[in-house]
Amino acid sequence: MLIPDLVAAVALAAVAVWLAWPAPIMLSRAEWPAHAPGRALLLWQGIAVAGGVSMIGALWLIGIAVTPRHPWLAGIPAYALAAYLVAHLLTAIVRFEHQRRRHLHLLLLLSVPDPARKRTVLVDDQAPVAYCLPRGASSVTVLSKGLFGALGADELEAVIAHERAHVQQRHEVLLVAFRAWHAALPWFPMAGRALGEVEALVEMLADDQARRELVGVVRRPDEALARAILHVGKVEGEGSSSTRNRMHDRFRRLLPQSGSAQ
């Protein structure tokens, strides 16, 4: 049984290596995810899950091949890796929930309800800020007073539609999982690359839903959303070159004739 188990372990380890290095690089350099962000997100999730399972499976098979008479003892490295990854995921979920509750408590102290919009509060900040705090059906949209001075009526509606799309599509759940992966493997460059890609892709998905909701509500929804992005500072110049390219892709999707966002 030693040789077949070793062959299977090597094959599974090769799959894990391919999913951990070449596959993420190829996907992050591809152009099609900007045109199909939903499918790209599913693929990133598949790569992450399959990569973790293949790593754990390879360790388990290696242990079985080395100590075939003690399968439970042989599986200790695999069990340890699985426990490590699950522990980081649970820690990330608990941390996110704690931060969300603390943030909500501060909002109740420092904000006032928006008289013109349901489930929306205003904070006294002159910087243009907009985001949604997920609370299920009671999610809260947070707008700064400075946002009203920086944006016109159409751009403001575009920002609100975009932020609410994040909550409706439960993007925080997906981001927590990839942030947990990055926290578990901070020394692994592909974990950071995957997180940056996923962050850019969920922005594109929120853009797409906002564009659909804005049809008939504002004039030229794509242009309004693009202007709002620039004012609120969603196209950032920091991060890896891959992340910057994706964020520029996001802007080009809205205004294809304008070139990259500069």
Side-chain angles (χ1 to χ4, degrees), residues 82-213:
Y84 176 76
L85 295 176
V86 171
H88 270 276
L89 178 59
L90 294 177
T91 300
I93 293 172
V94 171
R95 184 183 296 117
F96 170 79
E97 181 62 19
H98 173 74
Q99 292 173 345
R100 187 190 65 81
R101 291 179 179 275
R102 183 173 181 273
H103 196 156
L104 178 60
H105 177 70
L106 291 175
L107 275 179
L108 294 176
L109 296 175
L110 302 176
S111 66
V112 295
D114 185 344
R117 300 173 181 83
K118 296 180 180 179
R119 300 195 305 275
T120 302
V121 298
L122 305 177
V123 294
D124 189 9
D125 190 337
Q126 295 308 308
V129 175
Y131 61 92
C132 263
L133 187 64
R135 295 177 61 199
S138 302
S139 298
V140 178
T141 302
V142 183
L143 307 176
S144 70
K145 293 183 178 180
L147 194 70
F148 291 84
L151 302 181
D154 287 354
E155 290 82 6
L156 185 61
E157 291 301 322
V159 165
I160 293 172
H162 172 92
E163 295 302 332
R164 287 182 174 167
H166 281 309
V167 174
Q168 292 169 3
Q169 298 181 10
R170 302 303 305 272
H171 290 160
E172 77 279 2
V173 175
L174 184 61
L175 290 173
V176 165
F178 276 88
R179 285 167 183 161
W181 185 26
H182 187 217
L185 305 170
W187 41 266
F188 190 44
M190 288 304 103
R193 182 185 289 259
L195 177 58
E197 288 284 311
V198 168
E199 287 175 340
L201 290 170
V202 298
E203 294 295 336
M204 294 179 189
L205 281 178
D207 286 343
D208 289 344
Q209 180 169 325
R211 293 159 82 181
R212 292 190 295 269
E213 294 182 357

Side-chain angles (χ1 to χ4, degrees), residues 15-38:
V15 171
V17 170
W18 188 81
L19 291 172
W21 198 267
I25 290 178
M26 292 169 60
L27 183 55
S28 65
R29 291 177 178 175
E31 295 183 2
W32 68 264
H35 305 289

